[in-house]
Amino acid sequence: MEIALWLVLVLMLGGVYVFWRWGSRSRKATELADARAEAQRWYERLGGQLMNLHGDAPAVRQALADAGERYNAAGSQLEQARTPHQFALARETALEGLAYIRAARTAMGIDPGPELPPLAAARGAGMLTKEREVNVQGQTYRAGPQPGDRTPYYYPGGNWQGRPVPAGWYSTPWWKTALGAGAGVLGGMLIADALFSPAFADPGYGYEAGYQEGFQDGADYGDNNDGGDFGGDQGADFSGGGDYGGGDFGGDFGGGDFGGGDFGGGGDW
């Protein structure tokens, strides 16, 4: 009797395990099929757009060339994909290509079409809102939110060397030429610092604007608080020629970086 009971229990547990395994395989198969279909859908849409768009303007030609590169790359990824993650990468590549298609349509002066799902690589990168022109190592670099003869290279946003690069139009694809080692990487970092500092995704916002806002906030705070104890008790410390008056703090701000150097000498700021 006990043997029969144990046998029934083993058979029940075996049945549960087989059912669980079947369900797990079925879910994985469904997930894989869905990922393949999603990637294939965006890949085919990219191919259709490439076939129907043509333009002679430099910005249009460049955007379409970049879209074509993504199309070829996505096709290769689809052929080799065996997992949902690999199909997701192919989908991302196809979406990047479609972002370039939207850029090309914008450069042509036509409706860019419906919005795309956000690119994973561009998450948190933002976009350019104002034109920017900087000089780095004797070469001029430009960037802005709109295409033009001087900014024919579109970038959909992403990260380069751990630094966010906002979506927008650039005078040269410095993120490509700086993919090597040594001087190329250093040059790319200098360009990124010059273009996007200090206020990321809005390079037209500089030190002066930030200073004015901070000054106004400080003035408002002082008016509302009547200058009370802070003005009396702390005035001696700040005006008595100590560390803040003629010492370290005064030296750095008076004749150092902020006085006659980067901020005071009429450089990028």
Side-chain angles (χ1 to χ4, degrees), residues 62 66 100 128 132 134 136-137 139-144 150-155 157-180 183-197 200:
Q62 186 59 52
D66 288 330
Y100 284 106
L128 294 172
R132 178 72 162 169
V134 297
V136 179
Q137 296 180 330
Q139 185 171 349
T140 300
Y141 296 89
R142 301 177 180 87
R150 300 196 302 176
T151 52
Y153 295 93
Y154 180 75
Y155 186 69
N159 283 272
W160 178 84
Q161 295 290 324
R163 297 167 183 241
V165 179
W169 295 84
Y170 296 83
S171 59
T172 182
W174 53 266
W175 54 89
K176 292 183 179 179
T177 57
L179 290 179
V185 173
L186 177 60
M189 289 181 177
L190 292 175
I191 296 168
D193 286 343
L195 282 173
F196 309 131
S197 295
F200 168 68

Side-chain angles (χ1 to χ4, degrees), residues 2 20 52 58 68 72 95 98 119 131 136 163 195 200 217 240:
E2 293 182 358
W20 176 81
N52 295 323
N72 293 333
L95 285 175
L98 285 167
L119 294 173
E131 294 183 356
V136 179
R163 297 167 183 241
L195 282 173
F200 168 68
D217 290 343

Side-chain angles (χ1 to χ4, degrees), residues 31-266:
E31 182 183 359
L32 183 64
D34 290 345
R36 179 189 291 111
E38 179 73 359
Q40 188 70 34
R41 178 168 72 92
W42 292 111
Y43 173 71
E44 292 176 355
R45 178 174 168 181
L46 174 58
Q49 292 285 328
L50 278 171
M51 291 180 60
N52 295 323
L53 283 179
H54 305 281
D56 295 327
V60 177
R61 291 201 310 268
Q62 186 59 52
L64 291 177
D66 288 330
E69 289 181 2
R70 299 307 188 279
Y71 179 76
N72 293 333
S76 177
Q77 289 174 322
L78 280 171
E79 291 180 358
Q80 301 176 34
R82 297 294 182 270
T83 66
H85 176 68
Q86 291 172 334
F87 281 113
L89 292 177
R91 171 187 179 273
E92 178 80 359
T93 302
L95 285 175
E96 285 184 5
L98 285 167
Y100 284 106
I101 290 293
R102 284 175 54 86
R105 294 174 67 92
T106 298
M108 295 171 66
I110 61 178
D111 185 0
E115 291 288 339
L116 298 171
L119 294 173
R123 186 175 295 118
M127 62 177 57
L128 294 172
T129 59
K130 295 182 180 179
E131 294 183 356
R132 178 72 162 169
E133 180 176 315
V134 297
N135 188 281
V136 179
Q137 296 180 330
Q139 185 171 349
T140 300
Y141 296 89
R142 301 177 180 87
Q146 298 296 328
D149 292 339
R150 300 196 302 176
T151 52
Y153 295 93
Y154 180 75
Y155 186 69
N159 283 272
W160 178 84
Q161 295 290 324
R163 297 167 183 241
V165 179
W169 295 84
Y170 296 83
S171 59
T172 182
W174 53 266
W175 54 89
K176 292 183 179 179
T177 57
L179 290 179
V185 173
L186 177 60
M189 289 181 177
L190 292 175
I191 296 168
D193 286 343
L195 282 173
F196 309 131
S197 295
F200 168 68
D202 191 358
Y205 183 86
Y207 172 75
E208 182 179 356
Y211 173 82
Q212 291 296 337
E213 288 189 5
F215 182 84
Q216 185 60 49
D217 290 343
D220 293 342
Y221 182 84
D223 291 341
N224 293 333
N225 289 276
D226 296 326
D229 294 337
F230 185 85
D233 296 341
Q234 303 297 330
D237 293 339
F238 279 84
S239 62
D243 291 340
Y244 284 84
D248 296 336
F249 204 86
D252 290 342
F253 277 80
D257 294 338
F258 284 80
D262 296 336
F263 282 84

